[in-house]
Amino acid sequence: MKQRPPHKATFRFYEELNDFFAQGKTKTTVPVYFSGNPPVKTVIESIGIPHTEIDLILVNSHSVGFSHRLRDGDRVSVYPVFESLDISGVTNVRKNPLRRPRFILDVHLGKLARFLRMLGFDTLYKNDYIDRDIVHIARTQNRIILTRDVEILKKKEVTRGFWIRSQNPGKQLIEVLDRLDLYSRMKPFHRCMACNGKIEKVKKEEVSDRLDAETKKHFEEFFRCISCKKIYWKGSHYERMKKMVEDIRTSSRSGHS
């Protein structure tokens, strides 16, 4: 029979960090047995929670960083990322709060990428990204990784990331807006949904040769992506997206009631 490690610490995980546990094991104190004095980050990720989800760790009521080494009998409280509350004067986990909303998404989140771009957020996405590419781009461009893959968020090079819980793109969008408190930062229809480039207004005669007869007849106002040159106008597709944006804003004001 395998002998239990000699040391024990008790962990309590708060709010959405409980999403990583099976039903029935949430919002309870978790005993963890260990040998030596491992970094608290290593122990937390061995439980299944990536460090990018964490903004505050208290060991025996004192704020500590990821490198803090556990001792026998420690009481550990772990809190999720606080985006609507600035705790920079309290936490020792990261130097800067995640307040610059620039994203890179994994290959499973194509529709979410389009929605974020629709709301004006700088969002990189390709359906052939591999994990190494995502981590490198996120690090060099200071982007937040959005992913359905918990394992990528456990990589030590990753400092900014969020595990998307839902499989529904509309609900995924609300998850991101809520978690990162982005409603006031929305700038709808300023980015190309196809490539993430910025959109500018353009004269009708400049794009006339690319319009079909009906579009040319019924619309006078046009916009063009400065990167991929895709043309936009306020047709029925625009009205549907505008309604979606209005619903999101109404929902945010009512607290999703």
Side-chain angles (χ1 to χ4, degrees), residues 144-182:
I144 301 169
I145 296 174
L146 302 181
T147 181
R148 289 274 300 150
D149 178 8
V150 172
E151 294 306 311
I152 191 174
L153 298 180
K154 293 181 181 179
K155 296 181 183 298
K156 65 180 181 180
E157 303 93 340
V158 177
T159 59
R160 292 170 163 81
F162 175 47
W163 177 54
I164 302 295
R165 275 67 164 171
S166 178
Q167 296 185 45
N168 177 282
K171 291 181 179 179
Q172 291 171 349
L173 178 63
I174 298 302
E175 272 188 57
V176 175
L177 295 175
D178 279 349
R179 181 66 179 276
L180 304 181
D181 193 20
L182 297 178

Side-chain angles (χ1 to χ4, degrees), residues 75-141:
R75 294 173 292 105
V76 185
S77 300
V78 188
Y79 296 84
V81 173
F82 296 90
E83 281 305 320
S84 56
L85 178 64
D86 187 352
I87 63 166
S88 56
V90 177
T91 183
N92 286 291
V93 165
R94 56 171 56 88
K95 294 180 180 179
N96 302 304
L98 311 183
R99 301 204 177 273
R100 192 175 184 188
R102 303 172 71 225
F103 303 103
I104 181 167
L105 279 59
D106 73 19
V107 297
H108 306 291
L109 298 174
K111 287 186 178 179
L112 175 59
R114 290 177 64 84
F115 284 157
L116 286 168
R117 290 168 179 173
M118 177 188 73
L119 296 180
F121 295 107
D122 185 346
T123 304
L124 296 186
Y125 169 83
K126 289 183 180 178
N127 61 11
D128 60 353
Y129 274 146
I130 59 175
D131 287 0
R132 184 174 64 250
D133 296 333
I134 292 173
V135 171
H136 175 73
I137 293 169
R139 186 175 69 249
T140 56
Q141 298 186 19

Side-chain angles (χ1 to χ4, degrees), residues 206-217:
E206 291 183 39
V207 295
S208 176
D209 60 334
R210 296 178 56 192
L211 305 174
D212 61 41
E214 285 298 305
T215 302
K216 216 181 284 189
K217 177 180 177 182

Side-chain angles (χ1 to χ4, degrees), residues 12-27:
R12 179 68 187 264
F13 295 91
Y14 288 85
E15 302 307 328
E16 54 264 37
L17 294 181
N18 286 275
D19 293 345
F20 293 90
F21 296 106
Q23 198 68 23
K25 294 186 178 180
T26 62
K27 299 185 178 179

